[in-house]
């Protein structure tokens, strides 16, 4: 990972993203929400299922390169490369944190 200093729950998310769906789901509150590709996934089970599908379809790497706080969200820009159409892309990941975990994540390209 880059030298960018991320809040601990967000740094844990990017590490977990290399470890598997269950590791990613544990980064979220029990009722955490992920919105990706206009689909919303609520709860750790649904988040693990979403991540499992993503990992089954694509092999990719993420390299966060910027962080700013906007209206209570930690907005991370990440350079993403992989075996998907349009690779590489820079994605925006908007995290809302709660009690040391991720309460919500919205991913946009």
């Amino acid at each position: 990972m880059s030298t960018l200093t991320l809040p601990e729950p967000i740094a844990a998310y990017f590490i977990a993203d290399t470890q598997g769906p269950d590791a990613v789901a544990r980064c979220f509150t029990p009722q955490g929400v992920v919105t990706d590709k206009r689909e919303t996934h609520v709860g750790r089970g649904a988040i693990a299922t979403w991540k499992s599908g993503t990992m089954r379809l694509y092999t990719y790497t993420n390299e966060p390169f910027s962080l700013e706080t906007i209206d209570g969200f930690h907005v991370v820009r990440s350079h993403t490369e992989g075996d998907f159409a349009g690779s590489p892309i820079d994605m925006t990941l908007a995290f809302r944190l709660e009690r040391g975990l991720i309460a919500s994540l919205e991913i946009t390209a």
Side-chain angles (χ1 to χ4, degrees):
M1 216 176 301
S2 70
T3 59
L4 183 66
T5 302
L6 298 170
E8 179 57 35
I10 298 172
Y13 170 84
F14 282 103
I15 292 167
D17 194 37
T18 68
Q19 297 173 337
D22 292 332
V24 169
R26 285 190 297 271
C27 294
F28 288 81
T29 63
Q31 290 302 310
V33 177
V34 172
T35 303
D36 181 32
K37 298 181 186 170
R38 298 184 186 139
E39 293 182 3
T40 300
H41 313 276
V42 180
R44 288 181 177 150
I47 291 169
T49 299
W50 158 75
K51 183 48 70 173
S52 178
T54 300
M55 292 177 146
R56 202 171 36 255
L57 290 174
Y58 310 112
T59 302
Y60 60 91
T61 59
N62 276 311
E63 184 66 33
F65 63 85
S66 74
L67 169 68
E68 59 184 319
T69 303
I70 302 171
D71 296 329
F73 287 85
H74 298 277
V75 180
V76 177
R77 296 280 295 153
S78 181
H79 185 72
T80 305
E81 290 189 41
D83 58 357
F84 55 88
S87 177
I89 60 172
D90 289 338
M91 297 186 353
T92 300
L93 296 90
F95 295 88
R96 188 172 58 78
L97 305 180
E98 187 177 285
R99 297 182 309 274
L101 294 169
I102 301 166
S104 68
L105 167 60
E106 183 174 347
I107 302 171
T108 56

